[in-house]
Amino acid sequence: MFTGLSAFPLTPLRDDRFDERAYTGLVTRLAEAGVDSVGALGSTGSYAYLDREERGRVARAAVRSAGEVPVIVGIGSLRTSHVRALAEDAQRAGAAAVLLAPVSYQKLTDEEVFGLYEEVTAELSVPLVVYDNPATTHVTFSDELYARVAALPNVAAIKIPPVPLDPVAARERVDAVRRAVPDHVSVGVSGDGSAATGLAAGCRAWYSVVAGTVPGAVLPLARAALDGDTATADAESERLRPLWDLFAAHGSLRVVAAIAEHLGLVAPHCLPRPILGLPADQRERVARVVGDLGLG
Amino acid sequence: MFTGLSAFPLTPLRDDRFDERAYTGLVTRLAEAGVDSVGALGSTGSYAYLDREERGRVARAAVRSAGEVPVIVGIGSLRTSHVRALAEDAQRAGAAAVLLAPVSYQKLTDEEVFGLYEEVTAELSVPLVVYDNPATTHVTFSDELYARVAALPNVAAIKIPPVPLDPVAARERVDAVRRAVPDHVSVGVSGDGSAATGLAAGCRAWYSVVAGTVPGAVLPLARAALDGDTATADAESERLRPLWDLFAAHGSLRVVAAIAEHLGLVAPHCLPRPILGLPADQRERVARVVGDLGLG
């Protein structure tokens, strides 16, 4: 489950309520496209903005729609007791694994981050993916902290931040993480624009934003990279550069939301306010990129 | 209401539940000490870690215990619709004003921050304090954004981050904010260690962490500073330096929690996990400082 392409769909809203019909459509598309796992309620799935009841509904809808494809459910929250409750809900919904980022409001110490994982993993019946996303959590994992957390029971994988674009630096980064964690813990990469580099550097999983909305666009890249065909993977990644440029300018969430809205997969204004969709001129640019790259 | 000393109490937990009895004691102490307002559910009050039902109970307990002292209630949350619901709850509880920080998970644009305040202020019946706390929200207000937000209806005050310790730089900073916002909008300072400087630089309110737990310790400083007696205020601030050093080392939240626990005002381990209290050696240091400075 912690190898290959893991696709992270949006959790679309309609008038500030979970749009279950659109979500079912999104997840069904992912399963049909042949992704290796579905990441429900990741950052792209707006987990941090949804309440417990909504998150339960999303998790159940994801499991129902994904068929045989395993679903990894995000359980991050600011308070440990809330994370534990969400872990229970996710397992009851049929999650094959859970994904946990150490979300922070008050800056957390390493001891506090470790304590969070220690408490939560102690009572899990499914594997856990450690979700390291400093841009949203404002927590920085040292390799030493990776090592401590990865040694906990039920920790099966780590989702690391984007690797450097330079292949040598990327390899050094992935090697350092690999040295820090036990062999049985999978190291996977996020940041779609540098995923080809991350997979070439030794990551065995790609936790992908694009794959959650237009999986067909990145499956050739993922398959080539995981087969060791670096040249094809790099060429595919280069072909998708207009998309990476949009991500860099506006954040991947706003761009995939605009793509999904443009393709009619979700209703307009599907993101939770205060997050706004892209302005009109940028939506036109997104539409051109969708057309040029044949996304959808 | 937006001048003088505003005291921000902890929201103590006991076994992960709101400890209403201890909280009532804390707020009653503040009213009896003669603070000018109570800031319930600020960062020190762990608002970001509590659910809506808990926050309603805290707001009602604060208003009930504060007597004649006006209560400002924090309504921050990641999602605009949740903020609006919390604003309703706070007003129903009897809040004299609300306090709103633009909490973020996905990085917000200025347009999104402005949109949040625009939607929330449009339906308020009480004044709003704009809460700028970049260390926890990861939003940076430009003076231009201050100007746009402060021009919205019902915006009555801005709580700015700590000012520079250099008096000239502090004065420049406060002057720049004052120039950006309408005259009727009060500018108040946070960051207890530089409050004397901020008040000397022209701030008319001090939003204080220490005052929420041991108000007697800082009332002389506040009164002197607001009366323009800068020499006395500076001497008081200098006297309290061991406390500011602890704040700098561990964050003010963990230190005031340790003080409140040491004084028996709250039960041990009163903070929401994953936040841990201070380790034993630092608690001893806190106890010494409490003794040396005669806090309590």
Side-chain angles (χ1 to χ4, degrees):
Chain A
M1 177 171 21
F2 307 113
T3 57
L5 183 64
S6 187
F8 281 69
L10 296 157
T11 305
L13 302 184
R14 184 190 282 262
D15 297 329
D16 200 55
R17 284 158 193 268
F18 170 45
D19 185 348
E20 186 159 345
R21 209 172 110 175
Y23 186 69
T24 298
L26 285 175
V27 176
T28 303
R29 265 165 65 90
L30 304 184
E32 287 172 355
V35 302
D36 299 298
S37 62
V38 168
L41 294 165
S43 292
T44 303
S46 294
Y47 75 93
Y49 296 85
L50 306 178
D51 64 28
R52 182 178 175 184
E53 188 269 333
E54 288 170 321
R55 290 171 73 164
R57 286 179 60 205
V58 174
R60 289 189 294 275
V63 171
R64 202 163 50 230
S65 312
E68 297 300 302
V69 180
V71 177
I72 306 169
V73 174
I75 58 170
S77 192
L78 286 170
R79 184 157 153 201
T80 303
S81 56
H82 295 178
V83 176
R84 291 167 61 190
L86 290 163
E88 264 193 50
D89 294 350
Q91 291 174 92
R92 201 166 295 140
V98 293
L99 174 77
L100 177 57
V103 195
S104 72
Y105 178 80
Q106 297 286 346
K107 192 169 170 53
L108 297 178
T109 65
D110 281 7
E111 209 50 43
E112 289 167 340
V113 172
F114 176 75
L116 167 69
Y117 283 100
E118 190 179 35
E119 275 196 65
V120 173
T121 56
E123 39 188 33
L124 281 180
S125 310
V126 298
L128 177 138
V129 183
V130 176
Y131 181 11
D132 178 10
N133 187 352
T136 57
T137 64
H138 306 286
V139 164
T140 304
F141 278 87
S142 61
D143 290 343
E144 194 201 331
L145 184 56
Y146 276 153
R148 290 184 69 198
V149 171
L152 288 167
N154 298 312
V155 173
I158 296 188
K159 175 179 184 297
I160 66 171
V163 297
L165 278 172
D166 171 61
V168 177
R171 169 67 72 173
E172 280 172 13
R173 182 82 279 276
V174 175
D175 283 351
V177 179
R178 274 256 54 98
R179 275 194 303 275
V181 307
D183 285 347
H184 69 268
V185 172
S186 145
V187 177
V189 73
S190 62
D192 289 348
S194 62
T197 312
L199 293 165
C203 288
R204 299 305 299 157
W206 172 13
Y207 300 99
S208 170
V209 173
V210 175
T213 296
V214 284
V218 290
L219 270 162
L221 196 173
R223 295 287 169 251
L226 292 160
D227 288 349
D229 179 357
T230 304
T232 301
D234 284 348
E236 277 296 309
S237 187
E238 188 54 36
R239 185 179 73 80
L240 295 167
R241 174 159 310 280
L243 198 50
W244 312 149
D245 291 344
L246 281 168
F247 280 19
H250 305 288
S252 58
L253 177 67
R254 292 176 186 83
V255 176
V256 286
I259 292 174
E261 292 173 10
H262 174 71
L263 294 173
L265 300 171
V266 302
H269 309 297
C270 72
L271 295 176
R273 294 175 77 91
I275 302 171
L276 300 172
L278 294 183
D281 57 332
Q282 293 305 316
R283 284 177 185 272
E284 282 170 29
R285 199 176 145 205
V286 166
R288 273 199 307 279
V289 169
V290 167
D292 291 350
L293 297 180
L295 305 179
Chain B
M1 178 171 21
F2 306 112
T3 56
L5 183 64
S6 187
F8 281 69
L10 296 157
T11 305
L13 302 184
R14 185 191 283 262
D15 297 328
D16 201 55
R17 285 160 192 265
F18 170 46
D19 185 348
E20 186 159 343
R21 207 171 112 178
Y23 187 69
T24 298
L26 285 175
V27 176
T28 303
R29 265 164 65 89
L30 303 184
E32 288 172 354
V35 302
D36 298 300
S37 62
V38 168
L41 294 165
S43 292
T44 303
S46 295
Y47 75 93
Y49 297 84
L50 306 178
D51 64 28
R52 181 178 176 185
E53 187 268 331
E54 288 171 320
R55 290 171 71 164
R57 286 179 60 205
V58 174
R60 289 190 294 275
V63 171
R64 202 164 50 231
S65 313
E68 297 301 301
V69 181
V71 176
I72 306 169
V73 174
I75 59 170
S77 192
L78 285 170
R79 184 157 152 201
T80 302
S81 57
H82 294 178
V83 176
R84 291 166 60 190
L86 291 163
E88 263 192 51
D89 293 350
Q91 290 173 92
R92 202 166 295 140
V98 292
L99 174 77
L100 177 57
V103 195
S104 71
Y105 178 80
Q106 297 286 345
K107 191 169 170 54
L108 298 178
T109 65
D110 280 7
E111 209 51 42
E112 290 167 339
V113 173
F114 176 75
L116 168 69
Y117 283 100
E118 189 178 33
E119 275 196 63
V120 173
T121 55
E123 38 189 33
L124 281 180
S125 310
V126 298
L128 178 139
V129 182
V130 176
Y131 181 11
D132 178 10
N133 187 352
T136 56
T137 65
H138 307 285
V139 164
T140 304
F141 278 87
S142 62
D143 290 342
E144 194 200 331
L145 185 55
Y146 276 153
R148 290 184 69 198
V149 170
L152 288 167
N154 297 313
V155 173
I158 296 186
K159 173 178 185 299
I160 66 170
V163 296
L165 278 172
D166 172 63
V168 176
R171 168 68 71 174
E172 280 172 11
R173 183 81 279 274
V174 175
D175 283 351
V177 180
R178 275 256 54 100
R179 276 195 303 274
V181 307
D183 286 347
H184 69 268
V185 172
S186 145
V187 176
V189 73
S190 62
D192 288 349
S194 61
T197 311
L199 293 166
C203 288
R204 299 305 298 156
W206 173 12
Y207 300 99
S208 170
V209 173
V210 176
T213 296
V214 283
V218 290
L219 270 163
L221 195 174
R223 294 288 168 250
L226 291 160
D227 288 349
D229 179 357
T230 305
T232 301
D234 285 349
E236 276 296 308
S237 188
E238 190 53 37
R239 184 179 74 81
L240 295 166
R241 176 160 307 280
L243 197 52
W244 313 149
D245 290 345
L246 280 168
F247 280 19
H250 304 289
S252 58
L253 177 67
R254 293 177 185 82
V255 175
V256 285
I259 292 173
E261 292 172 10
H262 173 72
L263 294 173
L265 300 171
V266 302
H269 309 296
C270 73
L271 295 175
R273 293 175 77 91
I275 303 171
L276 301 171
L278 295 183
D281 57 332
Q282 293 306 316
R283 284 177 186 272
E284 283 171 29
R285 197 176 146 205
V286 165
R288 274 200 306 280
V289 169
V290 166
D292 291 350
L293 297 180
L295 305 179

